[in-house]
Amino acid sequence: NAIDERMGTLEEKIDLTIEEFFERQARANVMLATLKPKLSDDQWKKVCDSVCTRIREVAGTGPIVWSSEANIGIGRREADEDS
């Protein structure tokens, strides 16, 4: 077979406070990541406080166990397989 593929998995499980969880989400979420630079520090703090309060209402006080998985693949294809 001309295709050579290797697959791997990275796993991360850590306990986070609700504030730490939200900060990770704010960096990874395109809507939040683009909103933050548009707000003053005080406005961003109000957003963070509001969201964290809502998370506590819905999910409890934490800690939140963050579990993420990244699948990594490396492949090679022969030029004549593209046609």
Side-chain angles (χ1 to χ4, degrees), residues 3 14 19 26-27 37 40-41 43-44 47 49 54-55 65 74-75 79-82:
I3 298 175
I14 54 174
E19 289 77 15
R27 289 191 308 268
S40 70
D41 289 343
Q43 290 171 319
W44 181 248
V47 169
D49 291 345
R54 183 67 181 135
I55 292 172
V65 177
I74 300 170
D80 60 4
E81 289 186 288
D82 291 332

Side-chain angles (χ1 to χ4, degrees), residues 10-16 21 24-25 64-70:
L10 298 176
E11 291 187 17
E12 175 186 34
K13 288 187 180 182
I14 54 174
D15 290 339
L16 299 172
F21 171 78
R24 279 187 175 223
Q25 293 304 305
I64 295 173
V65 177
W66 179 259
S67 178
S68 62
E69 182 178 300

Side-chain angles (χ1 to χ4, degrees), residues 13-79:
K13 288 187 180 182
I14 54 174
D15 290 339
L16 299 172
T17 66
I18 289 173
E19 289 77 15
E20 290 167 336
F21 171 78
F22 178 70
E23 281 301 318
R24 279 187 175 223
Q25 293 304 305
R27 289 191 308 268
N29 180 294
V30 70
M31 292 177 68
L32 292 171
T34 57
L35 175 65
K36 185 176 181 178
K38 297 176 183 177
L39 302 178
S40 70
D41 289 343
D42 289 339
Q43 290 171 319
W44 181 248
K45 184 173 179 351
K46 287 179 185 178
V47 169
C48 293
D49 291 345
S50 177
V51 171
C52 289
T53 296
R54 183 67 181 135
I55 292 172
R56 281 186 188 87
E57 290 171 358
V58 173
T61 59
I64 295 173
V65 177
W66 179 259
S67 178
S68 62
E69 182 178 300
N71 293 310
I72 301 167
I74 300 170
R76 185 182 79 233
R77 178 179 286 187
E78 300 268 338

